[in-house]
Amino acid sequence: MEFRDLKKQYSVLKKDIDEAILKVAADCNFILGNQVKALEEELADYVGVNHCISCANGTDALSIAMMAWGIGKGDAVFVPDFTFFSSGEIVSHCGATPVFVDVDENTFNISADSLENAVIKVKNEGILMPKAVVAVDLFGLPADFDAVRKVTDKYGLLVLEDGAQGFGGRIGDKMACSFGDISTTSFFPAKPLGCYGDGGALFTDNDGLAELIRSIRVHGKGTQKYDNVRIGLNSRLDTIQAAVLSIKLKALKAYELDDINKAAGKYTERLSGFVKTPVIPSGFYSSWAQYTLKLKSREQRDCVQAALKERGIPTMVYYPKPMHRQLAFGIGETYDFDCSVTEKLCDTVLSLPMHPYLTDDDIETVCENVITLI
Ligand SMILES: *Cc1c(COP(=O)(O)O)cnc(C)c1O
């Protein structure tokens, strides 16, 4: 059994994907070819925003947002303590200070109450200037943007939606990657919409920001290629990746999101009552980047994981360590962090095999084993 079965997906989409890749090779339009522009339009249309600008990966997408806003030294950017390293790394990378905020125990996403407390604390200290929040759509579930916006509106902060795992999710009719002042996603192969290498994108409704982002993406270009008006990056999405993504986006829309939600429903139906299953608040729709259980303790979690592995069932721990404990940040003593929920989640979470091509038999095998082991 595969944790995320990309081989199965390829076998289903092979004819179209092979054709699309070979066309790029035949045309030799490898850098910012027509397929990139076409994909950006398809993505903007799907997400329901004015602009999509693709780039080299999801981490660059976040960095480009920081650069476009001019965030740097002396600025505080609030980041959930329970997320992938990138969400905080890009804050340090631009010279600003990440301030880690606890998450909600049920949704795994940033807690608006903890966010407000952290903002007040930073303001009272008077050393850093609160500038922005990175709200992550963890495991495919959009963050609670209504609650986040109440806080950011009150304190005048920018919202960066890190939708690396959230693409395809929504709140009501509003799609993930449309909630931030800038939103980003990643096309890393295992994400809800993945390519065959690295890729990423930014989304915004703001025309001026979109232009700025397009410039930063290509060495801070001005009106022409060899006219450079700011310091930028080289961060483009390959045409081959865009060609693959166009095919995969069609599959995502046509059936993958439906199928992965059906798989999640079956897991939850079978496992609830035995173990804590993921909670999707009413009105929210997840793209299920992960299906994550909460066990009772680190010992139980580690035991269950080891026993499942022995039975050929792959599982993952996302994430074993709170961001504020990552050595790289080295700021553990600067703030009196209260991230007790994150601490507990890092000890108890376990993600099960999850993808749109899971069979009922696979789901039953996983559930049977989980139930007998807890
Ligand atoms: C994967 C991921 C990223 C980074 O994306 P890359 O394309 O790997 O650079 C950022 N944030 C979150 C939450 C992610 O899961």
Side-chain angles (χ1 to χ4, degrees):
M1 196 181 305
E2 300 279 332
F3 186 72
R4 193 162 189 99
D5 200 342
L6 296 175
K7 285 185 188 144
K8 180 76 197 295
Q9 184 193 44
Y10 176 59
S11 75
V12 173
L13 304 175
K14 182 175 186 327
K15 190 175 155 291
D16 289 345
I17 287 181
D18 289 358
E19 212 171 88
I21 291 175
L22 289 174
K23 180 162 178 9
V24 178
D27 294 349
C28 293
N29 56 350
F30 303 115
I31 303 295
L32 295 183
N34 295 335
Q35 290 89 334
V36 176
K37 193 159 191 309
L39 176 75
E40 287 176 345
E41 282 166 14
E42 286 160 22
L43 290 170
D45 182 59
Y46 177 67
V47 168
V49 295
N50 292 338
H51 305 281
C52 167
I53 306 100
S54 60
C55 66
N57 56 70
T59 307
D60 274 7
L62 293 164
S63 278
I64 291 171
M66 292 284 124
M67 291 169 80
W69 283 332
I71 288 177
K73 202 167 164 32
D75 294 334
V77 177
F78 301 86
V79 179
D81 200 36
F82 192 58
T83 180
F84 179 62
F85 186 61
S86 281
S87 315
E89 179 182 34
I90 53 98
V91 177
S92 296
H93 196 266
C94 73
T97 303
V99 177
F100 297 112
V101 172
D102 213 357
V103 296
D104 179 90
E105 189 167 12
N106 291 316
T107 63
F108 306 119
N109 281 329
I110 194 164
S111 149
D113 288 342
S114 301
L115 172 63
E116 181 159 20
N117 290 339
V119 175
I120 291 169
K121 195 165 166 192
V122 168
K123 273 180 101 74
N124 288 345
E125 276 177 3
I127 300 164
L128 297 169
M129 180 71 111
K131 275 286 171 68
V133 177
V134 180
V136 180
D137 302 333
L138 204 74
F139 303 155
L141 179 69
D144 186 350
F145 285 97
D146 275 350
V148 167
R149 282 280 179 196
K150 279 200 186 104
V151 178
T152 56
D153 287 351
K154 190 165 163 189
Y155 298 96
L157 307 179
L158 294 160
V159 176
L160 175 54
E161 177 186 4
D162 179 352
Q165 300 180 16
F167 192 86
R170 54 178 194 260
I171 306 174
D173 295 335
K174 204 164 154 46
M175 300 298 295
C177 298
S178 73
F179 294 105
D181 297 302
I182 299 176
S183 302
T184 64
T185 198
S186 161
F187 304 125
F188 182 83
K191 308 281 171 162
L193 178 62
C195 62
Y196 283 180
D198 279 307
L202 299 96
F203 301 85
T204 185
D205 277 328
N206 184 310
D207 300 345
L209 272 177
E211 205 184 309
L212 192 52
I213 290 165
R214 285 188 192 283
S215 164
I216 293 169
R217 168 174 77 168
V218 186
H219 306 292
K221 74 179 166 74
T223 48
Q224 292 167 359
K225 198 173 170 189
Y226 297 108
D227 171 34
N228 304 89
V229 297
R230 59 181 60 82
I231 299 300
L233 298 171
N234 173 12
S235 184
R236 298 172 294 226
L237 180 71
D238 289 348
T239 307
I240 286 184
Q241 301 304 344
V244 170
L245 284 165
S246 258
I247 311 288
K248 289 229 207 169
L249 178 62
K250 282 196 196 87
L252 183 92
K253 290 196 262 191
Y255 63 88
E256 284 187 352
L257 277 174
D258 281 348
D259 288 355
I260 205 162
N261 270 277
K262 279 185 200 140
K266 284 173 190 158
Y267 265 144
T268 298
E269 192 180 320
R270 188 76 171 81
L271 291 172
S272 53
F274 296 100
V275 57
K276 281 191 184 142
T277 52
V279 176
I280 306 300
S282 119
F284 285 64
Y285 183 82
S286 177
S287 58
W288 296 103
Q290 305 298 338
Y291 185 92
T292 302
L293 303 176
K294 284 184 286 185
L295 282 299
K296 290 200 183 86
S297 63
R298 182 174 279 256
E299 296 69 46
Q300 188 195 37
R301 193 265 313 277
D302 292 350
C303 271
V304 169
Q305 181 174 40
L308 287 172
K309 188 176 175 196
E310 237 163 61
R311 297 167 191 210
I313 298 172
T315 60
M316 300 292 277
V317 174
Y318 298 121
Y319 295 92
K321 201 181 211 182
M323 292 285 273
H324 78 267
R325 287 187 190 279
Q326 294 288 4
L327 194 62
F329 293 114
I331 54 171
E333 276 112 60
T334 316
Y335 288 90
D336 182 20
F337 294 103
D338 175 19
C339 291
S340 52
V341 173
T342 298
E343 302 270 4
K344 189 168 163 208
L345 290 176
C346 290
D347 280 346
T348 55
V349 287
L350 186 67
S351 298
L352 301 182
M354 191 55 167
H355 55 84
Y357 303 88
L358 266 184
T359 64
D360 287 356
D361 284 350
D362 288 340
I363 294 172
E364 182 51 31
T365 304
V366 175
C367 293
E368 243 174 53
N369 280 286
V370 168
I371 290 167
T372 57
L373 287 167
I374 53 178

